[in-house]
Amino acid sequence: MTDMLQVRVWRGDAASGEFRGYEVPKLESQTVLDVVTYIQRKLDPTLSYRFACRVGMCGSCAMTVNGRARWTCRAHIAKVAEHDRLEIAPLANLPVVKDLVTDMSVFFDKWAQAHGRFQGAATRKDDFARVAPSTVERKFADAGIECIGCGVCYSSCDVVAWNPNYLGPAALNRAWTLLNDVRDTGNRARLAAVAGDAGCHACHTHMSCTERCPKQISPTAAIAGLKRAAMAAALKGEI
Ligand code: SF4
Ligand code: SF4
Ligand code: FES
């Protein structure tokens, strides 16, 4: 045990890059984001990374830490460092802008492709919808609603790596959440959008997304629900 961490950080842009080494003092309750911040503030101000809330709400701080995608603001060094060593890289499966910053455009474009936007029919003159917590639809919708759009699942998914067109676990989880929202009116088009070759049927149920989601969401279960719903809609000739 020493009082220093040996940290390798990926530096570069979309064209090329390399890992560079830094020594960072170990502190109590230190997170991976604290380490990256120390490097930028004390050792190398040219290091680029992204964060906002620091409390697990905004989803902007995800990186690859010792080979595994994580949110970094709540990833404690005590749990993730191996023999006081850290290797920090940008999220996989996304283009690198610079250093630890990835371009999330494709990730959010896929939410749009999966019809991830609520589409209601009520007007401001209507009363509030009342959806009882005991209903199965509410249970399914609530299960995935806490997604913070961090990209950890997307970066961990082998199918995304093999097939860049695959909508991916987060967009499909969002589609399943809305499919179970009884106020939403866009489900036929949504199901058609997620039932194609790059949609729910491409998932191989590897579970990496579910194992790594920092919000304990199960995109795998959501995708299984979409597969059943898409099959039922196809049998009825609805999509
Ligand atoms: S369960 Fe499906 S979406 Fe999740 S990581 Fe595996 S292949 Fe990707
Ligand atoms: S499902 Fe989980 S891992 Fe995926 S984007 Fe949402 S919060 Fe992040
Ligand atoms: S900085 Fe917002 S989730 Fe980590």
Side-chain angles (χ1 to χ4, degrees), residues 56 88 96 141 146 161:
I88 307 174
V96 175
E146 297 291 341

Short mmCIF file of all heavy atoms in Angstrom, two decimals, residues 56 88 96 141 146 161:
data_model
loop_
_atom_site.label_atom_id
_atom_site.label_comp_id
_atom_site.label_asym_id
_atom_site.label_seq_id
_atom_site.Cartn_x
_atom_site.Cartn_y
_atom_site.Cartn_z
N GLY A 56 -24.74 11.48 -9.36
CA GLY A 56 -25.46 10.37 -9.96
C GLY A 56 -26.81 10.73 -10.54
O GLY A 56 -27.70 9.88 -10.61
N ILE A 88 -8.16 4.69 -17.14
CA ILE A 88 -9.40 5.43 -17.44
C ILE A 88 -9.42 5.79 -18.92
O ILE A 88 -8.47 6.40 -19.44
CB ILE A 88 -9.48 6.71 -16.58
CG1 ILE A 88 -9.30 6.36 -15.09
CG2 ILE A 88 -10.82 7.40 -16.79
CD1 ILE A 88 -9.23 7.56 -14.17
N VAL A 96 -14.91 9.16 -30.19
CA VAL A 96 -14.21 10.01 -29.22
C VAL A 96 -14.11 11.42 -29.81
O VAL A 96 -13.74 11.60 -30.97
CB VAL A 96 -12.80 9.47 -28.95
CG1 VAL A 96 -12.02 10.42 -28.04
CG2 VAL A 96 -12.89 8.10 -28.31
N ALA A 141 -43.67 0.49 -16.44
CA ALA A 141 -43.23 1.85 -16.81
C ALA A 141 -42.27 2.40 -15.75
O ALA A 141 -41.24 2.99 -16.07
CB ALA A 141 -44.43 2.77 -16.98
N GLU A 146 -36.18 5.63 -14.35
CA GLU A 146 -35.09 6.35 -13.70
C GLU A 146 -33.81 6.41 -14.53
O GLU A 146 -32.75 6.80 -14.04
CB GLU A 146 -34.76 5.71 -12.34
CG GLU A 146 -35.90 5.76 -11.33
CD GLU A 146 -36.20 7.17 -10.84
OE1 GLU A 146 -35.35 8.04 -10.97
OE2 GLU A 146 -37.33 7.37 -10.34
N ALA A 161 -21.51 -3.19 -30.54
CA ALA A 161 -20.16 -3.23 -31.14
C ALA A 161 -20.18 -3.94 -32.49
O ALA A 161 -19.49 -3.53 -33.42
CB ALA A 161 -19.20 -3.92 -30.18
#
